[in-house]
PDB file of all heavy atoms in Angstrom:
ATOM      1  N   ASN A   1      11.749  21.149 -10.775  1.00  0.00           N
ATOM      2  CA  ASN A   1      12.759  21.850  -9.976  1.00  0.00           C
ATOM      3  C   ASN A   1      12.436  21.777  -8.458  1.00  0.00           C
ATOM      4  O   ASN A   1      13.321  21.580  -7.641  1.00  0.00           O
ATOM      5  CB  ASN A   1      12.914  23.317 -10.398  1.00  0.00           C
ATOM      6  CG  ASN A   1      13.520  23.446 -11.745  1.00  0.00           C
ATOM      7  OD1 ASN A   1      14.231  22.557 -12.254  1.00  0.00           O
ATOM      8  ND2 ASN A   1      13.321  24.580 -12.413  1.00  0.00           N
ATOM      9  N   ASP A   2      11.129  21.928  -8.166  1.00  0.00           N
ATOM     10  CA  ASP A   2      10.699  21.837  -6.788  1.00  0.00           C
ATOM     11  C   ASP A   2      10.991  20.476  -6.194  1.00  0.00           C
ATOM     12  O   ASP A   2      11.525  20.326  -5.086  1.00  0.00           O
ATOM     13  CB  ASP A   2       9.190  22.117  -6.614  1.00  0.00           C
ATOM     14  CG  ASP A   2       8.829  23.577  -6.813  1.00  0.00           C
ATOM     15  OD1 ASP A   2       9.749  24.398  -6.914  1.00  0.00           O
ATOM     16  OD2 ASP A   2       7.603  23.854  -6.912  1.00  0.00           O
ATOM     17  N   LEU A   3      10.688  19.411  -6.992  1.00  0.00           N
ATOM     18  CA  LEU A   3      10.943  18.038  -6.474  1.00  0.00           C
ATOM     19  C   LEU A   3      12.438  17.778  -6.333  1.00  0.00           C
ATOM     20  O   LEU A   3      12.820  17.141  -5.337  1.00  0.00           O
ATOM     21  CB  LEU A   3      10.327  17.031  -7.469  1.00  0.00           C
ATOM     22  CG  LEU A   3       8.829  16.844  -7.389  1.00  0.00           C
ATOM     23  CD1 LEU A   3       8.330  16.001  -8.528  1.00  0.00           C
ATOM     24  CD2 LEU A   3       8.381  16.301  -6.051  1.00  0.00           C
ATOM     25  N   THR A   4      13.224  18.269  -7.222  1.00  0.00           N
ATOM     26  CA  THR A   4      14.673  18.111  -7.101  1.00  0.00           C
ATOM     27  C   THR A   4      15.179  18.824  -5.834  1.00  0.00           C
ATOM     28  O   THR A   4      15.969  18.238  -5.055  1.00  0.00           O
ATOM     29  CB  THR A   4      15.385  18.728  -8.304  1.00  0.00           C
ATOM     30  OG1 THR A   4      14.914  18.033  -9.484  1.00  0.00           O
ATOM     31  CG2 THR A   4      16.883  18.587  -8.234  1.00  0.00           C
ATOM     32  N   TYR A   5      14.729  20.034  -5.539  1.00  0.00           N
ATOM     33  CA  TYR A   5      15.084  20.765  -4.396  1.00  0.00           C
ATOM     34  C   TYR A   5      14.642  19.996  -3.118  1.00  0.00           C
ATOM     35  O   TYR A   5      15.434  19.898  -2.157  1.00  0.00           O
ATOM     36  CB  TYR A   5      14.452  22.191  -4.370  1.00  0.00           C
ATOM     37  CG  TYR A   5      14.702  22.898  -3.067  1.00  0.00           C
ATOM     38  CD1 TYR A   5      15.917  23.501  -2.787  1.00  0.00           C
ATOM     39  CD2 TYR A   5      13.671  22.932  -2.104  1.00  0.00           C
ATOM     40  CE1 TYR A   5      16.148  24.116  -1.584  1.00  0.00           C
ATOM     41  CE2 TYR A   5      13.906  23.572  -0.891  1.00  0.00           C
ATOM     42  CZ  TYR A   5      15.139  24.155  -0.629  1.00  0.00           C
ATOM     43  OH  TYR A   5      15.297  24.798   0.591  1.00  0.00           O
ATOM     44  N   MET A   6      13.431  19.528  -3.086  1.00  0.00           N
ATOM     45  CA  MET A   6      12.928  18.766  -1.933  1.00  0.00           C
ATOM     46  C   MET A   6      13.756  17.588  -1.618  1.00  0.00           C
ATOM     47  O   MET A   6      14.063  17.278  -0.475  1.00  0.00           O
ATOM     48  CB  MET A   6      11.445  18.429  -2.162  1.00  0.00           C
ATOM     49  CG  MET A   6      10.497  19.537  -2.137  1.00  0.00           C
ATOM     50  SD  MET A   6       8.798  18.956  -2.457  1.00  0.00           S
ATOM     51  CE  MET A   6       8.059  20.394  -3.156  1.00  0.00           C
ATOM     52  N   GLU A   7      14.081  16.826  -2.699  1.00  0.00           N
ATOM     53  CA  GLU A   7      14.909  15.615  -2.530  1.00  0.00           C
ATOM     54  C   GLU A   7      16.292  15.975  -1.923  1.00  0.00           C
ATOM     55  O   GLU A   7      16.765  15.386  -0.994  1.00  0.00           O
ATOM     56  CB  GLU A   7      15.055  14.886  -3.841  1.00  0.00           C
ATOM     57  CG  GLU A   7      15.880  13.623  -3.683  1.00  0.00           C
ATOM     58  CD  GLU A   7      16.057  12.906  -5.040  1.00  0.00           C
ATOM     59  OE1 GLU A   7      15.867  13.518  -6.080  1.00  0.00           O
ATOM     60  OE2 GLU A   7      16.371  11.745  -5.013  1.00  0.00           O
ATOM     61  N   LYS A   8      16.894  17.009  -2.472  1.00  0.00           N
ATOM     62  CA  LYS A   8      18.225  17.417  -2.064  1.00  0.00           C
ATOM     63  C   LYS A   8      18.184  17.889  -0.584  1.00  0.00           C
ATOM     64  O   LYS A   8      19.039  17.538   0.190  1.00  0.00           O
ATOM     65  CB  LYS A   8      18.793  18.556  -2.964  1.00  0.00           C
ATOM     66  CG  LYS A   8      20.100  19.061  -2.530  1.00  0.00           C
ATOM     67  CD  LYS A   8      20.591  20.203  -3.448  1.00  0.00           C
ATOM     68  CE  LYS A   8      21.873  20.765  -2.887  1.00  0.00           C
ATOM     69  NZ  LYS A   8      22.187  22.013  -3.561  1.00  0.00           N
ATOM     70  N   THR A   9      17.217  18.680  -0.249  1.00  0.00           N
ATOM     71  CA  THR A   9      17.061  19.232   1.077  1.00  0.00           C
ATOM     72  C   THR A   9      16.863  18.123   2.102  1.00  0.00           C
ATOM     73  O   THR A   9      17.491  18.088   3.184  1.00  0.00           O
ATOM     74  CB  THR A   9      15.944  20.271   1.186  1.00  0.00           C
ATOM     75  OG1 THR A   9      16.240  21.288   0.258  1.00  0.00           O
ATOM     76  CG2 THR A   9      15.855  20.859   2.550  1.00  0.00           C
ATOM     77  N   SER A  10      15.982  17.224   1.817  1.00  0.00           N
ATOM     78  CA  SER A  10      15.687  16.065   2.695  1.00  0.00           C
ATOM     79  C   SER A  10      16.929  15.217   2.915  1.00  0.00           C
ATOM     80  O   SER A  10      17.268  14.831   4.003  1.00  0.00           O
ATOM     81  CB  SER A  10      14.531  15.237   2.134  1.00  0.00           C
ATOM     82  OG  SER A  10      14.230  14.182   3.049  1.00  0.00           O
ATOM     83  N   THR A  11      17.654  14.930   1.843  1.00  0.00           N
ATOM     84  CA  THR A  11      18.876  14.148   1.936  1.00  0.00           C
ATOM     85  C   THR A  11      19.907  14.898   2.768  1.00  0.00           C
ATOM     86  O   THR A  11      20.556  14.295   3.634  1.00  0.00           O
ATOM     87  CB  THR A  11      19.426  13.826   0.527  1.00  0.00           C
ATOM     88  OG1 THR A  11      18.438  13.143  -0.198  1.00  0.00           O
ATOM     89  CG2 THR A  11      20.709  13.038   0.627  1.00  0.00           C
ATOM     90  N   THR A  12      20.057  16.148   2.552  1.00  0.00           N
ATOM     91  CA  THR A  12      21.020  16.949   3.328  1.00  0.00           C
ATOM     92  C   THR A  12      20.672  16.896   4.843  1.00  0.00           C
ATOM     93  O   THR A  12      21.548  16.689   5.671  1.00  0.00           O
ATOM     94  CB  THR A  12      21.012  18.426   2.854  1.00  0.00           C
ATOM     95  OG1 THR A  12      21.368  18.437   1.488  1.00  0.00           O
ATOM     96  CG2 THR A  12      21.948  19.258   3.588  1.00  0.00           C
ATOM     97  N   ALA A  13      19.426  17.087   5.215  1.00  0.00           N
ATOM     98  CA  ALA A  13      19.032  17.055   6.563  1.00  0.00           C
ATOM     99  C   ALA A  13      19.288  15.719   7.239  1.00  0.00           C
ATOM    100  O   ALA A  13      19.817  15.609   8.332  1.00  0.00           O
ATOM    101  CB  ALA A  13      17.584  17.419   6.723  1.00  0.00           C
ATOM    102  N   THR A  14      18.989  14.632   6.528  1.00  0.00           N
ATOM    103  CA  THR A  14      19.201  13.288   7.013  1.00  0.00           C
ATOM    104  C   THR A  14      20.694  13.014   7.210  1.00  0.00           C
ATOM    105  O   THR A  14      21.131  12.524   8.224  1.00  0.00           O
ATOM    106  CB  THR A  14      18.625  12.222   6.076  1.00  0.00           C
ATOM    107  OG1 THR A  14      17.199  12.495   5.952  1.00  0.00           O
ATOM    108  CG2 THR A  14      18.782  10.841   6.624  1.00  0.00           C
ATOM    109  N   ASP A  15      21.491  13.459   6.268  1.00  0.00           N
ATOM    110  CA  ASP A  15      22.952  13.318   6.353  1.00  0.00           C
ATOM    111  C   ASP A  15      23.494  14.121   7.538  1.00  0.00           C
ATOM    112  O   ASP A  15      24.410  13.654   8.262  1.00  0.00           O
ATOM    113  CB  ASP A  15      23.589  13.792   5.070  1.00  0.00           C
ATOM    114  CG  ASP A  15      23.352  12.866   3.874  1.00  0.00           C
ATOM    115  OD1 ASP A  15      22.874  11.716   4.085  1.00  0.00           O
ATOM    116  OD2 ASP A  15      23.597  13.297   2.727  1.00  0.00           O
ATOM    117  N   MET A  16      22.964  15.309   7.741  1.00  0.00           N
ATOM    118  CA  MET A  16      23.391  16.115   8.885  1.00  0.00           C
ATOM    119  C   MET A  16      23.161  15.379  10.187  1.00  0.00           C
ATOM    120  O   MET A  16      24.015  15.368  11.099  1.00  0.00           O
ATOM    121  CB  MET A  16      22.667  17.489   8.871  1.00  0.00           C
ATOM    122  CG  MET A  16      23.130  18.380   7.772  1.00  0.00           C
ATOM    123  SD  MET A  16      22.013  19.818   7.597  1.00  0.00           S
ATOM    124  CE  MET A  16      22.197  20.680   9.134  1.00  0.00           C
ATOM    125  N   ILE A  17      21.930  14.860  10.341  1.00  0.00           N
ATOM    126  CA  ILE A  17      21.597  14.166  11.587  1.00  0.00           C
ATOM    127  C   ILE A  17      22.538  12.975  11.778  1.00  0.00           C
ATOM    128  O   ILE A  17      23.053  12.748  12.887  1.00  0.00           O
ATOM    129  CB  ILE A  17      20.125  13.726  11.528  1.00  0.00           C
ATOM    130  CG1 ILE A  17      19.225  14.946  11.685  1.00  0.00           C
ATOM    131  CG2 ILE A  17      19.878  12.675  12.662  1.00  0.00           C
ATOM    132  CD1 ILE A  17      17.740  14.657  11.474  1.00  0.00           C
ATOM    133  N   HIS A  18      22.782  12.205  10.752  1.00  0.00           N
ATOM    134  CA  HIS A  18      23.643  11.008  10.914  1.00  0.00           C
ATOM    135  C   HIS A  18      25.097  11.379  11.121  1.00  0.00           C
ATOM    136  O   HIS A  18      25.894  10.498  11.549  1.00  0.00           O
ATOM    137  CB  HIS A  18      23.445  10.062   9.715  1.00  0.00           C
ATOM    138  CG  HIS A  18      22.121   9.338   9.766  1.00  0.00           C
ATOM    139  ND1 HIS A  18      21.842   8.387  10.678  1.00  0.00           N
ATOM    140  CD2 HIS A  18      20.973   9.471   9.061  1.00  0.00           C
ATOM    141  CE1 HIS A  18      20.604   7.921  10.504  1.00  0.00           C
ATOM    142  NE2 HIS A  18      20.114   8.584   9.526  1.00  0.00           N
ATOM    143  N   ALA A  19      25.485  12.618  10.872  1.00  0.00           N
ATOM    144  CA  ALA A  19      26.860  13.049  11.094  1.00  0.00           C
ATOM    145  C   ALA A  19      27.154  13.468  12.532  1.00  0.00           C
ATOM    146  O   ALA A  19      28.309  13.585  12.948  1.00  0.00           O
ATOM    147  CB  ALA A  19      27.198  14.226  10.178  1.00  0.00           C
ATOM    148  N   ILE A  20      26.120  13.575  13.355  1.00  0.00           N
ATOM    149  CA  ILE A  20      26.314  13.957  14.715  1.00  0.00           C
ATOM    150  C   ILE A  20      27.115  12.883  15.416  1.00  0.00           C
ATOM    151  O   ILE A  20      26.770  11.680  15.364  1.00  0.00           O
ATOM    152  CB  ILE A  20      24.934  14.178  15.454  1.00  0.00           C
ATOM    153  CG1 ILE A  20      24.208  15.333  14.815  1.00  0.00           C
ATOM    154  CG2 ILE A  20      25.106  14.379  16.954  1.00  0.00           C
ATOM    155  CD1 ILE A  20      22.730  15.471  15.263  1.00  0.00           C
ATOM    156  N   PRO A  21      28.253  13.232  16.003  1.00  0.00           N
ATOM    157  CA  PRO A  21      29.178  12.236  16.513  1.00  0.00           C
ATOM    158  C   PRO A  21      28.744  11.483  17.787  1.00  0.00           C
ATOM    159  O   PRO A  21      29.084  10.284  17.932  1.00  0.00           O
ATOM    160  CB  PRO A  21      30.460  13.017  16.778  1.00  0.00           C
ATOM    161  CG  PRO A  21      30.051  14.448  16.926  1.00  0.00           C
ATOM    162  CD  PRO A  21      28.824  14.588  16.106  1.00  0.00           C
ATOM    163  N   GLU A  22      27.978  12.121  18.684  1.00  0.00           N
ATOM    164  CA  GLU A  22      27.579  11.470  19.916  1.00  0.00           C
ATOM    165  C   GLU A  22      26.308  10.714  19.679  1.00  0.00           C
ATOM    166  O   GLU A  22      25.306  11.226  19.255  1.00  0.00           O
ATOM    167  CB  GLU A  22      27.365  12.516  20.999  1.00  0.00           C
ATOM    168  CG  GLU A  22      28.644  13.127  21.527  1.00  0.00           C
ATOM    169  CD  GLU A  22      28.438  13.941  22.743  1.00  0.00           C
ATOM    170  OE1 GLU A  22      27.725  13.465  23.709  1.00  0.00           O
ATOM    171  OE2 GLU A  22      28.948  15.061  22.770  1.00  0.00           O
ATOM    172  N   GLU A  23      26.358   9.385  19.926  1.00  0.00           N
ATOM    173  CA  GLU A  23      25.242   8.499  19.615  1.00  0.00           C
ATOM    174  C   GLU A  23      23.968   8.900  20.382  1.00  0.00           C
ATOM    175  O   GLU A  23      22.876   8.898  19.752  1.00  0.00           O
ATOM    176  CB  GLU A  23      25.601   7.070  19.952  1.00  0.00           C
ATOM    177  CG  GLU A  23      26.580   6.420  18.998  1.00  0.00           C
ATOM    178  CD  GLU A  23      26.102   6.380  17.558  1.00  0.00           C
ATOM    179  OE1 GLU A  23      24.955   5.997  17.333  1.00  0.00           O
ATOM    180  OE2 GLU A  23      26.864   6.770  16.667  1.00  0.00           O
ATOM    181  N   ASN A  24      24.048   9.259  21.632  1.00  0.00           N
ATOM    182  CA  ASN A  24      22.792   9.607  22.389  1.00  0.00           C
ATOM    183  C   ASN A  24      22.174  10.871  21.839  1.00  0.00           C
ATOM    184  O   ASN A  24      20.934  10.970  21.714  1.00  0.00           O
ATOM    185  CB  ASN A  24      23.058   9.711  23.862  1.00  0.00           C
ATOM    186  CG  ASN A  24      24.147  10.684  24.233  1.00  0.00           C
ATOM    187  OD1 ASN A  24      24.913  11.190  23.410  1.00  0.00           O
ATOM    188  ND2 ASN A  24      24.227  10.986  25.555  1.00  0.00           N
ATOM    189  N   VAL A  25      23.015  11.826  21.356  1.00  0.00           N
ATOM    190  CA  VAL A  25      22.499  13.047  20.752  1.00  0.00           C
ATOM    191  C   VAL A  25      21.882  12.720  19.402  1.00  0.00           C
ATOM    192  O   VAL A  25      20.783  13.194  19.098  1.00  0.00           O
ATOM    193  CB  VAL A  25      23.590  14.119  20.640  1.00  0.00           C
ATOM    194  CG1 VAL A  25      23.105  15.346  19.906  1.00  0.00           C
ATOM    195  CG2 VAL A  25      24.169  14.489  22.010  1.00  0.00           C
ATOM    196  N   LYS A  26      22.543  11.909  18.626  1.00  0.00           N
ATOM    197  CA  LYS A  26      22.060  11.494  17.334  1.00  0.00           C
ATOM    198  C   LYS A  26      20.706  10.812  17.439  1.00  0.00           C
ATOM    199  O   LYS A  26      19.747  11.063  16.677  1.00  0.00           O
ATOM    200  CB  LYS A  26      23.040  10.535  16.613  1.00  0.00           C
ATOM    201  CG  LYS A  26      22.677  10.153  15.226  1.00  0.00           C
ATOM    202  CD  LYS A  26      23.587   9.122  14.616  1.00  0.00           C
ATOM    203  CE  LYS A  26      24.992   9.503  14.762  1.00  0.00           C
ATOM    204  NZ  LYS A  26      25.906   8.502  14.118  1.00  0.00           N
ATOM    205  N   HIS A  27      20.566   9.950  18.449  1.00  0.00           N
ATOM    206  CA  HIS A  27      19.277   9.227  18.642  1.00  0.00           C
ATOM    207  C   HIS A  27      18.157  10.166  18.972  1.00  0.00           C
ATOM    208  O   HIS A  27      17.009   9.972  18.539  1.00  0.00           O
ATOM    209  CB  HIS A  27      19.413   8.155  19.733  1.00  0.00           C
ATOM    210  CG  HIS A  27      20.275   7.007  19.327  1.00  0.00           C
ATOM    211  ND1 HIS A  27      20.022   6.249  18.220  1.00  0.00           N
ATOM    212  CD2 HIS A  27      21.450   6.481  19.854  1.00  0.00           C
ATOM    213  CE1 HIS A  27      20.947   5.299  18.053  1.00  0.00           C
ATOM    214  NE2 HIS A  27      21.833   5.437  19.058  1.00  0.00           N
ATOM    215  N   VAL A  28      18.426  11.227  19.745  1.00  0.00           N
ATOM    216  CA  VAL A  28      17.422  12.236  20.045  1.00  0.00           C
ATOM    217  C   VAL A  28      16.980  12.920  18.715  1.00  0.00           C
ATOM    218  O   VAL A  28      15.774  13.074  18.473  1.00  0.00           O
ATOM    219  CB  VAL A  28      17.938  13.307  21.038  1.00  0.00           C
ATOM    220  CG1 VAL A  28      17.024  14.513  21.070  1.00  0.00           C
ATOM    221  CG2 VAL A  28      18.095  12.678  22.397  1.00  0.00           C
ATOM    222  N   PHE A  29      17.895  13.229  17.838  1.00  0.00           N
ATOM    223  CA  PHE A  29      17.563  13.904  16.569  1.00  0.00           C
ATOM    224  C   PHE A  29      16.831  12.960  15.638  1.00  0.00           C
ATOM    225  O   PHE A  29      15.871  13.334  14.981  1.00  0.00           O
ATOM    226  CB  PHE A  29      18.833  14.416  15.879  1.00  0.00           C
ATOM    227  CG  PHE A  29      19.202  15.804  16.347  1.00  0.00           C
ATOM    228  CD1 PHE A  29      19.745  15.949  17.620  1.00  0.00           C
ATOM    229  CD2 PHE A  29      18.983  16.909  15.547  1.00  0.00           C
ATOM    230  CE1 PHE A  29      20.054  17.264  18.049  1.00  0.00           C
ATOM    231  CE2 PHE A  29      19.290  18.155  15.973  1.00  0.00           C
ATOM    232  CZ  PHE A  29      19.867  18.349  17.258  1.00  0.00           C
ATOM    233  N   ILE A  30      17.193  11.685  15.601  1.00  0.00           N
ATOM    234  CA  ILE A  30      16.500  10.710  14.761  1.00  0.00           C
ATOM    235  C   ILE A  30      15.056  10.577  15.253  1.00  0.00           C
ATOM    236  O   ILE A  30      14.106  10.587  14.476  1.00  0.00           O
ATOM    237  CB  ILE A  30      17.245   9.377  14.766  1.00  0.00           C
ATOM    238  CG1 ILE A  30      18.542   9.486  13.993  1.00  0.00           C
ATOM    239  CG2 ILE A  30      16.346   8.243  14.212  1.00  0.00           C
ATOM    240  CD1 ILE A  30      19.474   8.297  14.132  1.00  0.00           C
ATOM    241  N   ALA A  31      14.889  10.448  16.555  1.00  0.00           N
ATOM    242  CA  ALA A  31      13.512  10.340  17.147  1.00  0.00           C
ATOM    243  C   ALA A  31      12.706  11.569  16.867  1.00  0.00           C
ATOM    244  O   ALA A  31      11.539  11.465  16.525  1.00  0.00           O
ATOM    245  CB  ALA A  31      13.625  10.054  18.649  1.00  0.00           C
ATOM    246  N   ARG A  32      13.302  12.756  17.033  1.00  0.00           N
ATOM    247  CA  ARG A  32      12.558  14.009  16.913  1.00  0.00           C
ATOM    248  C   ARG A  32      12.228  14.353  15.465  1.00  0.00           C
ATOM    249  O   ARG A  32      11.110  14.706  15.179  1.00  0.00           O
ATOM    250  CB  ARG A  32      13.430  15.159  17.527  1.00  0.00           C
ATOM    251  CG  ARG A  32      12.741  16.491  17.517  1.00  0.00           C
ATOM    252  CD  ARG A  32      11.650  16.578  18.513  1.00  0.00           C
ATOM    253  NE  ARG A  32      11.067  17.893  18.534  1.00  0.00           N
ATOM    254  CZ  ARG A  32       9.968  18.220  19.147  1.00  0.00           C
ATOM    255  NH1 ARG A  32       9.310  17.278  19.827  1.00  0.00           N
ATOM    256  NH2 ARG A  32       9.516  19.412  19.163  1.00  0.00           N
ATOM    257  N   TYR A  33      13.236  14.235  14.567  1.00  0.00           N
ATOM    258  CA  TYR A  33      13.007  14.716  13.193  1.00  0.00           C
ATOM    259  C   TYR A  33      12.636  13.625  12.191  1.00  0.00           C
ATOM    260  O   TYR A  33      11.900  13.885  11.287  1.00  0.00           O
ATOM    261  CB  TYR A  33      14.241  15.503  12.725  1.00  0.00           C
ATOM    262  CG  TYR A  33      14.484  16.725  13.585  1.00  0.00           C
ATOM    263  CD1 TYR A  33      15.486  16.775  14.524  1.00  0.00           C
ATOM    264  CD2 TYR A  33      13.631  17.845  13.456  1.00  0.00           C
ATOM    265  CE1 TYR A  33      15.636  17.893  15.308  1.00  0.00           C
ATOM    266  CE2 TYR A  33      13.807  18.930  14.243  1.00  0.00           C
ATOM    267  CZ  TYR A  33      14.812  18.974  15.138  1.00  0.00           C
ATOM    268  OH  TYR A  33      15.023  20.065  15.939  1.00  0.00           O
ATOM    269  N   LEU A  34      13.187  12.436  12.379  1.00  0.00           N
ATOM    270  CA  LEU A  34      12.861  11.388  11.388  1.00  0.00           C
ATOM    271  C   LEU A  34      11.603  10.603  11.802  1.00  0.00           C
ATOM    272  O   LEU A  34      10.756  10.239  10.968  1.00  0.00           O
ATOM    273  CB  LEU A  34      14.030  10.444  11.216  1.00  0.00           C
ATOM    274  CG  LEU A  34      15.322  11.085  10.694  1.00  0.00           C
ATOM    275  CD1 LEU A  34      16.413  10.043  10.568  1.00  0.00           C
ATOM    276  CD2 LEU A  34      15.104  11.834   9.398  1.00  0.00           C
ATOM    277  N   HIS A  35      11.463  10.367  13.110  1.00  0.00           N
ATOM    278  CA  HIS A  35      10.281   9.594  13.595  1.00  0.00           C
ATOM    279  C   HIS A  35       9.196  10.502  14.123  1.00  0.00           C
ATOM    280  O   HIS A  35       8.150  10.029  14.448  1.00  0.00           O
ATOM    281  CB  HIS A  35      10.717   8.599  14.639  1.00  0.00           C
ATOM    282  CG  HIS A  35      11.678   7.574  14.121  1.00  0.00           C
ATOM    283  ND1 HIS A  35      11.339   6.633  13.190  1.00  0.00           N
ATOM    284  CD2 HIS A  35      12.978   7.344  14.404  1.00  0.00           C
ATOM    285  CE1 HIS A  35      12.365   5.864  12.902  1.00  0.00           C
ATOM    286  NE2 HIS A  35      13.408   6.282  13.612  1.00  0.00           N
TER     287      HIS A  35
END
């Protein structure tokens, strides 16, 4: 159950970042949270 939750949460966060409409803002979030 923990692993399922972790996978779902990680996917949700990544999807949220990629949904940001402004490219320069999205790039800041990708750099900060993914990299």
Side-chain angles (χ1 to χ4, degrees):
N1 290 338
D2 287 351
L3 284 173
T4 300
Y5 172 79
M6 289 177 207
E7 180 181 20
K8 178 182 175 192
T9 301
S10 181
T11 301
T12 301
T14 303
D15 291 344
M16 288 168 64
I17 290 171
H18 286 291
I20 297 171
E22 289 189 47
E23 288 300 313
N24 56 347
V25 175
K26 185 187 310 184
H27 290 303
V28 167
F29 274 74
I30 290 169
R32 182 72 175 170
Y33 297 105
L34 300 181
H35 298 294

